[in-house]
Amino acid sequence: SLDMNDKDSIQFKWTKVKGAIEYKLTLQNSDTKKKILEVKVTKEMYNFTDLEKLDEANFIWTVEAFQSTDQIN
C-alpha cells in the first residue's frame, strides 16, 4: 500500500546491472495486466508523474536491462 496524499510523483529505483546501457521500466495493473507505462531510461531510476493514470488497484512494475540492442536481464 502506498499513500499518495500530497505526492506528485512515484520514484522507481533499482540496482545497476553490469554492462547495461539502458533499462525498460514497465508498470501494469496486476489484475487486468493493462500497461500503464513502458519507458526506456539510461539511469537506475525513474520518476513517474502521470499519477492520474493510477486508480485504486494493485500494480506490478518490472525492469529489463539492455546492453546495446540486446536484452541481458
Side-chain angles (χ1 to χ4, degrees), residues 14-45:
W14 53 90
T15 303
K16 182 176 183 158
V17 175
K18 185 178 180 179
I21 62 166
E22 71 179 5
Y23 301 90
K24 181 172 75 173
L25 170 66
T26 304
L27 177 64
Q28 66 185 47
N29 182 301
S30 63
D31 296 325
T32 65
K33 307 300 183 215
K34 179 182 175 187
K35 282 186 187 175
I36 297 158
L37 172 73
E38 186 172 86
V39 64
K40 287 190 176 181
V41 296
T42 56
K43 305 246 183 218
E44 295 81 37
M45 53 97 39

Side-chain angles (χ1 to χ4, degrees), residues 7-72:
K7 304 278 190 221
D8 58 2
S9 68
I10 299 173
Q11 186 175 74
F12 294 93
K13 289 184 174 183
W14 53 90
T15 303
K16 182 176 183 158
V17 175
K18 185 178 180 179
I21 62 166
E22 71 179 5
Y23 301 90
K24 181 172 75 173
L25 170 66
T26 304
L27 177 64
Q28 66 185 47
N29 182 301
S30 63
D31 296 325
T32 65
K33 307 300 183 215
K34 179 182 175 187
K35 282 186 187 175
I36 297 158
L37 172 73
E38 186 172 86
V39 64
K40 287 190 176 181
V41 296
T42 56
K43 305 246 183 218
E44 295 81 37
M45 53 97 39
Y46 180 79
N47 279 322
F48 180 70
T49 58
D50 201 3
L51 300 181
E52 58 272 1
K53 288 188 174 183
L54 304 179
D55 54 10
E56 289 189 23
N58 292 314
F59 301 93
I60 298 170
W61 65 284
T62 59
V63 175
E64 297 174 79
F66 292 86
Q67 183 177 37
S68 70
T69 58
D70 300 325
Q71 181 179 349
I72 60 172

